[in-house]
Amino acid sequence: MTGAVAGADGLLRCTWGNSAEDYRIYHDTEWGRPVRGDDALFERVCLEAFQSGLSWITILRRRENFRAAFDGFVIEKVAAFTDADRERLLQDAGIIRNRAKIDAAVANARAALELPAGLDALIWSYAGDPARPAPRTPADVPATTAESAALAKELKRRGFRFVGPTTAYALMQACGLVDDHLADCFARGGGTAAA
């Protein structure tokens, strides 16, 4: 496998970042950049859980629907969801209508409220080693790490659902706890595309 691939604009990107316009935008503006704040991280935990077993582009294309359906992923609001909210979500064709994942989002909100230092502090305490060598090819990017396994274990211990080591690692990648942009990708280290 090769490293980053040039897009139509000439920028070298992680291979997946050139595969669809939605992916390009997400890759260039969001993936791998630090996400802070309890509600912002809660959104990402939920979206990664909903993605389980599906392609990420399915989630990206429904993201605004998810935000509307889950009250902007404000933890306190989602934690207060009732059975009526659950039934409303199960009827919402704009999101993934999976009962177990919907129930997990509500349970995860309630678990997040119980975290003494908050979700941000818990998740960021598992940030990867910034000195880790940059992956040169997609094959160099792991699916899990010791840190993602430890984060998943701690989240589960605290009552979270749909947060296995692979999902936890995808969360870590998406939220900038690790930088898995390929070594020759323009976005490595927080690089941005020219406007």
Side-chain angles (χ1 to χ4, degrees):
M1 287 201 133
T2 60
V5 175
D9 57 4
L11 289 175
L12 291 175
R13 288 184 180 82
C14 301
T15 308
W16 64 268
N18 285 314
S19 62
E21 182 68 6
D22 294 315
Y23 276 151
R24 185 195 60 75
I25 293 167
Y26 179 66
H27 172 275
D28 290 2
T29 64
E30 200 172 341
W31 191 78
R33 286 159 174 82
V35 174
R36 299 305 300 245
D38 288 352
D39 291 338
L41 285 165
F42 175 66
E43 174 183 355
R44 299 327 192 283
V45 168
C46 290
L47 294 177
E48 292 293 347
F50 274 100
Q51 184 272 329
S52 182
L54 303 170
S55 68
W56 182 243
I57 204 161
T58 300
I59 303 304
L60 280 178
R61 290 178 174 164
R62 296 177 184 214
R63 192 171 187 184
E64 291 308 315
N65 296 334
F66 275 107
R67 285 176 172 160
F70 285 92
D71 284 339
F73 290 102
V74 174
I75 293 170
E76 291 82 8
K77 289 182 178 181
V78 178
F81 277 12
T82 64
D83 287 342
D85 291 303
R86 181 169 152 224
E87 291 308 313
R88 169 184 58 82
L89 293 168
L90 286 169
Q91 300 305 314
D92 189 337
I95 66 168
I96 306 303
R97 295 178 290 181
N98 178 297
R99 182 180 306 274
K101 292 177 181 182
I102 290 168
D103 289 347
V106 176
N108 291 351
R110 292 173 182 163
L113 286 179
E114 300 298 318
L115 297 173
L119 188 59
D120 183 285
L122 173 66
I123 289 174
W124 276 92
S125 71
Y126 289 89
D129 179 1
R132 184 179 81 171
R136 307 245 14 116
T137 72
D140 297 333
V141 178
T144 65
T145 62
E147 292 89 358
S148 75
L151 173 58
K153 183 177 180 179
E154 182 61 15
L155 287 169
K156 286 180 183 178
R157 186 182 79 76
R158 298 209 176 240
F160 284 76
R161 302 181 198 167
F162 274 93
V163 289
T166 302
T167 298
Y169 194 65
L171 172 74
M172 293 171 74
Q173 291 173 303
C175 296
L177 280 77
V178 296
D179 186 353
D180 273 347
H181 283 286
L182 299 179
D184 51 355
C185 175
F186 86 88
R188 176 119 190 124
T192 58

